[in-house]
Structures are given as structure tokens and as C-alpha cells.
Amino acid sequence: ERGRRGALLLSTWIFIIGGLVQSFAPSLIVVMVARAIVGVASGASTVLVPIYLGEMAPPNLRGVIGTMTQFACVVGILFADIVGFVLANETSWRWMFSLTTVFGICQLALTPFLLESPRWLLGKNPSSSKARFIIKKLRGFRYDEEVETEVEHYLGAAKTQSLDDDSDGGQDKEKKSVMAEMLADEKVRLLVVSTLVLQVANQFSGINAVFYYSGLFFDGVIDNPLVGTTLMGAINVVATYIALLLMDRCGRRTLIMWSSAGMFLSCVVIVLSLLGYFSKMVALGAVAAYVSFFEIGLGPIPWLIVAEMFGGKYVTVAMSMSCQLNWICNFFVGLFFPVMNEALGAYSFGPFAVVLLLVFLYAWIWLPETAGTTPAELQAQLVEKNSGVTYHNMDIEGMAAHAPPSKGEWEQALADLAADEENNGNL
């Protein structure tokens, strides 16, 4: 109800409050509670920011701007690693926690530049003058005609979705949950499945196993594990910057395939290195390649692709569902990787390699390309693609073209025949 801007401001205030509580915490229990508060704000931001950027960005820049979310995350991780060198000790930890509040206040100071999403405003009121003002400001338009053309792009997708809802029986669909409605809609179902598959792949690729337990790879090579973790963070930033350059030059599907294939091969090298076939330096190189390939595809794309796949009606639910699934998978990886590592030993990255192979096959066969399209255009492409599919030697499109006449057509034909007979009798 408060819009994208209002929700982002609310999460900012939660960051500030959580940061203050953890900075002045008198005990470990209070620190844990404060961390939970900050975690709520982090989860909310994970959902809101990709939606907001996806709705604000023009189609030709959506990939780059969407990847900025991932870029900001990896820069933040690197910054936290560097700060840890100085402040992660018994005397300075409160100063480290206070940085959460400092950045929250900085974000609050920049809120005059935080515009509301025009797509959200137009969804609430198609005649919104505020939405038109924001579009003009964002796109740099000089003439009202240009603004109205952009508005029609937003409203056209909303009208298409509304017509689809009416044709499917609005009263019955209102009784369903939005999730059930998305799965029941044949035009949206593949997009929902693709979103969930990419979120699972984002975590079950094993990327956080590398970051959480990176000391396993640096043992015997780098004395201070924090140095190794910071090195991985720096590689992460460089690889994400490369992803910014590639995101709108290559398709999302292509980058997912390159990412999963590169990570798969890196996993194979890591396993062989842990078995003793290669040196630990080769293993470190494979880990660096693994992280780099993650950042060009499976890192940013599962988040930015949601706003490209779903219109205003579904995008919030889809992103919320994706975020929940991602964090659940993240929890399981962090919890069970030590157990898996103890049980499988050198083969602990084998299950991740299997997941990556399956992701590559899914992207190759089923994943739709979303670059440069609107959600309505993407759904239309899927309908067109599926309309010509032949099942068991039956051409669905051809059968539809030669379908039996409807009841109305029969009645009209009989009326015309009766009229012809009457005219012949009069002659």
C-alpha cells in the first residue's frame, strides 16, 4: 500500500534501529536479537530492490541496472572483509556494528532522490500525473507525447493481464491464492518454475559453501584465512563488474549456460585437486574461476529476471517467493555442507557439480530468454512457441484452424439456408 519507495524507507529505518541496538547491546542475547532485526531489513531489501530497479529501468538497460544489486552486494561483502581486519576484535566490535546505522542514515539522507516506481503508480491510477512526471524525469523526455507513449507501454501490459484474468473467470480466480493462480495460468507456469529453478541453483551451486568455509581451500597456502576470504571477495567484485559489461550484450539464457558450464568444470578441477591430482594452487585458481563464473550468470540473473518475467500483479509475490526459497536453500547449504564435507571428503563438491549440470540442461531446453522484452511480450512469445507444438502426431495449431463450427455459426448457416430456400420458392 505504501509503494516501492515507502517499503524501502521502512526497511531503512529497520536497519537504523537494528544497528543502534547491536551497537549498544549489553549482552550476547541482545546482539542476537539485533542481528535478527537487521536480518529482517536485509530480507526485505533483497525482495524490494530488484523489483524497484526492474520497474524503473528501460528494457535496454534492465540487465545492467538489475546487476547493480549484485554488484552492490559483493562490494559490501568486500568492504565488510576489509573492515574486519581493523575492527573485528574485543575492543572495536561496537564500532563495526555501528556502521549499519551509519549507512542507514546515509540512505535516509538520499531519499529525496528516491522516486516512486511509475509502474506501481500507474497500476494504482492509470491517470496518475505523478507517474508521468517521474517517467519524464527518468527518461529525459522533452515532449508529453513521448511520455504518453511510455505510459501506454506500462498500461498495455496491465490491460493484457486484466483481459486474461476476465477470460479465465475473475470471480473464481479471486478465491484462489496468487501462487495457485500463477501455477494454474499456462502462460505463467513455465516462468514460475524457471524462477524457482534459478533460485535453487543460485544456492545449490555451492557458492556459499566456498565463502562460508573458504578456510578449507586456503589451508597450507595462505596463513591468515581472512586474507583468503578477502581475496575471494575482491575476485567477486571484479567478476561482477565484468557481468555488468556483458549483461545487456548477451542474453540471460546464454549467460546462465556459460555460468553453469564454467562452474561445473571448476567443480571437477576442485575435486581432482582435493584428490591430489593437482596442486593446491590449481585448486585456488579453480575456486577463483568458480566464483567468477557464478557472478556472470547464476549470481545476478535469478534476481533481476523476476522483474522481467512478471507484470505488476505477480512480481511482488514472485520475488517474495524467490527470496524465501533462496534463503531456505542458503540455510541448508550452510548447515549441511560441513556434514557433507566430512562424509564425502574430496568429493564434497560432486553434488554441486551434478546440480550445475542439471541447470545447464534446463537452461538449454526450457529457460526462456527475457532480455529486451516486457512480461506481456514474453508471455505472448511462449504462447506462440507452444501453439505450433505437435503432440502424438496431432498439430494443435492446425486443429484449431480447422475446428468444428460453433453453435452460433451453425445457427447462422441454417438461417441463411432457410432464407435461400424461401427465396427460391418465391421465384
Side-chain angles (χ1 to χ4, degrees):
E1 293 297 326
R2 295 180 178 272
R4 314 301 190 220
R5 185 177 185 273
L8 287 170
L9 286 175
L10 180 60
S11 68
T12 301
W13 277 109
I14 297 174
F15 271 122
I16 293 172
I17 294 170
L20 287 172
V21 173
Q22 68 184 2
S23 299
F24 294 100
S27 65
L28 181 60
I29 294 178
V30 177
V31 171
M32 293 172 65
V33 172
R35 296 299 295 165
I37 294 172
V38 173
V40 170
S42 298
S45 298
T46 304
V47 174
L48 291 167
V49 172
I51 293 176
Y52 178 74
L53 294 178
E55 292 183 346
M56 298 290 277
N60 62 318
L61 293 177
R62 217 162 41 202
V64 170
I65 294 177
T67 308
M68 289 299 295
T69 305
Q70 183 75 6
F71 187 69
C73 287
V74 298
V75 169
I77 292 171
L78 178 60
F79 177 79
D81 292 335
I82 295 172
V83 167
F85 278 107
V86 181
L87 300 179
N89 53 62
E90 294 181 0
T91 59
S92 305
W93 64 270
R94 292 184 187 274
W95 292 105
M96 182 173 66
F97 281 160
S98 69
L99 291 175
T100 302
T101 300
V102 171
F103 282 111
I105 293 173
C106 290
Q107 184 169 328
L108 204 61
L110 294 172
T111 51
F113 301 99
L114 191 65
L115 303 174
E116 183 55 85
S117 164
R119 181 192 289 183
W120 183 84
L121 289 170
L122 290 169
K124 291 291 182 180
N125 178 15
S127 303
S128 172
S129 57
K130 184 177 180 181
R132 286 163 171 79
F133 172 78
I134 291 173
I135 290 172
K136 190 171 186 177
K137 188 173 183 178
L138 279 175
R139 305 290 188 259
F141 292 148
R142 297 177 60 187
Y143 305 106
D144 292 341
E145 291 80 4
E146 296 174 304
V147 175
E148 290 304 320
T149 300
E150 186 78 2
V151 168
E152 285 302 317
H153 289 159
Y154 285 111
L155 296 180
K159 288 177 182 177
T160 301
Q161 195 170 61
S162 176
L163 288 173
D164 290 341
D165 292 343
D166 292 342
S167 65
D168 292 338
Q171 295 295 330
D172 293 337
K173 294 192 75 176
E174 287 176 3
K175 297 177 183 178
K176 299 180 182 179
S177 69
V178 177
M179 181 60 191
E181 184 178 326
M182 292 167 70
L183 292 173
D185 190 338
E186 295 181 358
K187 299 187 295 297
V188 179
R189 189 183 303 145
L190 178 61
L191 305 181
V192 175
V193 172
S194 296
T195 300
L196 299 181
V197 167
L198 291 179
Q199 291 295 339
V200 171
N202 178 272
Q203 290 297 329
F204 283 1
S205 65
I207 189 65
N208 280 323
V210 171
F211 286 115
Y212 293 159
Y213 305 102
S214 56
L216 296 173
F217 303 100
F218 303 131
D219 186 26
V221 180
I222 299 175
D223 294 333
N224 187 350
L226 188 57
V227 174
T229 302
T230 305
L231 178 62
M232 286 296 104
I235 293 172
N236 220 3
V237 171
V238 173
T240 308
Y241 178 74
I242 294 173
L244 284 174
L245 303 178
L246 293 176
M247 196 56 62
D248 283 321
R249 297 182 183 181
C250 306
R252 316 288 187 251
R253 178 172 171 271
T254 301
L255 288 176
I256 287 290
M257 292 173 66
W258 274 103
S259 177
S260 55
M263 292 178 74
F264 171 80
L265 295 176
S266 300
C267 277
V268 172
V269 175
I270 290 171
V271 170
L272 292 176
S273 299
L274 294 175
L275 288 171
Y277 290 99
F278 301 117
S279 67
K280 287 192 173 182
M281 290 302 297
V282 173
L284 281 180
V287 170
Y290 177 88
V291 171
S292 299
F293 277 112
F294 175 80
E295 293 301 344
I296 69 168
L298 281 175
I301 290 177
W303 299 106
L304 69 89
I305 205 171
V306 177
E308 295 181 329
M309 284 184 169
F310 300 100
K313 181 180 180 182
Y314 293 141
V315 66
T316 306
V317 173
M319 184 61 78
S320 177
M321 179 176 57
S322 299
C323 183
Q324 292 178 47
L325 181 61
N326 188 280
W327 283 109
I328 289 171
C329 294
N330 187 340
F331 172 78
F332 282 117
V333 170
L335 184 65
F336 291 112
F337 180 73
V339 178
M340 190 170 69
N341 185 52
E342 185 176 347
L344 300 178
Y347 295 98
S348 57
F349 270 73
F352 299 140
V354 173
V355 170
L356 290 164
L357 179 60
L358 294 175
V359 172
F360 177 85
L361 294 174
Y362 182 87
W364 186 20
I365 299 171
W366 291 294
L367 184 66
E369 180 57 68
T370 63
T373 65
T374 65
E377 291 170 347
L378 180 61
Q379 292 177 25
Q381 290 172 10
L382 292 177
V383 171
E384 183 179 356
K385 177 181 177 181
N386 294 331
S387 65
V389 176
T390 300
Y391 298 96
H392 301 290
N393 298 322
M394 294 188 299
D395 184 0
I396 302 300
E397 188 175 24
M399 291 173 64
H402 299 89
S406 65
K407 180 181 178 181
E409 291 173 330
W410 276 114
E411 292 176 348
Q412 183 63 43
L414 290 173
D416 292 341
L417 181 61
D420 290 340
E421 290 178 349
E422 184 178 352
N423 291 333
N424 290 333
N426 291 335
L427 291 173

